[in-house]
Amino acid sequence: MPEALQATLPALFISDLHLSAEEPANVAAFLDFLQGKAREAASLFILGDLFEYWAGDDDLATPFNARAAAAIRALADAGTAVFFMRGNRDLLAGPTFAEAIGARLLEDPTRVRFDKDADAPPLLLSHGDALCTDDLAYQAFRRQVRDPAWQTGFLAQPLAARKAFIASLRQQSETAKAEKAIEIMDVNADAVAALLRTHGYPSLIHGHTHRPACHLAEVDGHSCTRHVLSDWRGQASWLHYDGRVFTSGSGDTARG
């Protein structure tokens, strides 16, 4: 089992913001979150799909992307440790992007342990799309675009060409989702069980499905909690962890 990442409490977990200039409410909510709630945390984990799409780290110069990156970097510079895991929309984010936002880049999945609280159990973090194994077409596409050779070839293309290709993929994705049964776009129970078994039956936190909930999974006689993060719909949404209790929050309010 890989060595666990060490982090500090309290921690916040967010995912699926899908930031874009076309969704100003999400952008405003994110900027307010970074200047407010996020500053109360010792650690912030961004578990993928921060952006609607990411065409490569050479797109950091785009004013919209530069503004978002600078805002995250300001949080990191203020003392909150930032961790970033790539999702399916921003899988091309790399070390240059991570350095620009002052974050540590995480592999999917990642185990995290909070070293200043001996009683806090380790957590397992994932974006979540790898668990949607019933969607065979998506999984085939996922394997393709995560292949290092494919990424090298794609990133060698001009930025404008990459953005045009991504735009066409987004349109195809929306069409395909409309034709799929809702069930196959959710996580597969056996895939979740296998992941939890491999990593010692921890609590799991993921996003991707846009189905926020807290599930109890029984795996090999172990009771494992699975927290599904919410996507952002014009207001901030987060999961807070103090080492003992998880609390979900949105906007300026929190609920247990």
Side-chain angles (χ1 to χ4, degrees):
M1 187 181 301
E3 184 177 350
L5 170 77
Q6 299 292 318
T8 306
L9 294 167
L12 291 175
F13 305 86
I14 62 174
S15 72
D16 299 279
L17 284 69
H18 295 271
L19 296 178
S20 73
E22 289 73 33
E23 296 289 344
N26 271 1
V27 177
F30 184 52
L31 295 177
D32 287 344
F33 171 79
L34 292 176
Q35 295 170 5
K37 185 66 179 179
R39 305 236 169 180
E40 301 172 11
S43 304
L44 172 66
F45 293 85
I46 305 171
L47 301 185
D49 288 5
L50 173 63
F51 293 95
E52 176 65 9
Y53 73 91
W54 189 258
D57 285 358
D58 53 341
D59 202 15
L60 266 168
T62 300
F64 177 84
N65 294 338
R67 180 189 182 198
I72 303 171
R73 183 58 187 250
L75 174 69
D77 289 345
T80 298
V82 179
F83 303 90
F84 177 75
M85 180 180 289
R86 290 167 283 216
N88 53 297
R89 299 298 185 111
D90 42 28
L91 62 95
L92 294 174
T96 300
F97 171 73
E99 182 178 359
I101 67 172
R104 178 167 175 174
L105 197 61
L106 302 181
E107 294 299 321
D108 186 357
T110 286
R111 289 174 66 247
V112 57
R113 186 179 296 277
F114 299 96
D115 55 350
K116 290 188 178 180
D117 192 326
D119 296 329
L123 305 178
L124 184 64
L125 312 180
S126 176
H127 176 59
D129 61 328
L131 300 171
C132 300
T133 56
D134 293 329
D135 192 342
L136 301 180
Y138 173 75
Q139 292 300 325
F141 172 75
R142 185 180 188 277
R143 288 191 294 273
Q144 176 190 357
V145 297
R146 279 171 168 71
D147 179 75
W150 186 93
Q151 291 189 4
T152 298
F154 183 72
L155 291 172
Q157 299 179 32
L159 181 59
R162 280 179 264 148
K163 288 187 173 184
F165 179 77
I166 290 171
S168 69
L169 280 183
R170 290 165 64 196
Q171 184 174 8
Q172 294 172 30
S173 174
E174 291 304 313
T175 301
K177 283 192 293 186
E179 298 172 351
K180 291 178 180 178
I182 294 176
E183 292 75 16
I184 73 168
M185 292 186 288
D186 202 354
V187 300
N188 175 278
D190 290 339
V192 170
L195 182 66
L196 294 173
R197 183 178 298 116
T198 298
H199 291 276
Y201 311 101
S203 291
L204 170 64
I205 301 174
H206 72 83
H208 180 68
T209 64
H210 299 190
R211 296 182 178 187
C214 178
H215 302 274
L216 184 63
E218 292 289 337
V219 183
D220 305 334
H222 298 268
S223 295
C224 304
T225 304
R226 178 169 68 91
H227 297 273
V228 185
L229 301 175
S230 176
D231 57 322
W232 286 32
R233 304 174 185 177
Q235 66 174 1
S237 179
W238 63 83
L239 184 68
H240 176 274
Y241 183 54
D242 65 2
R244 294 166 181 80
V245 177
F246 291 96
T247 306
S248 58
S250 61
D252 295 324
T253 61
R255 57 191 185 279

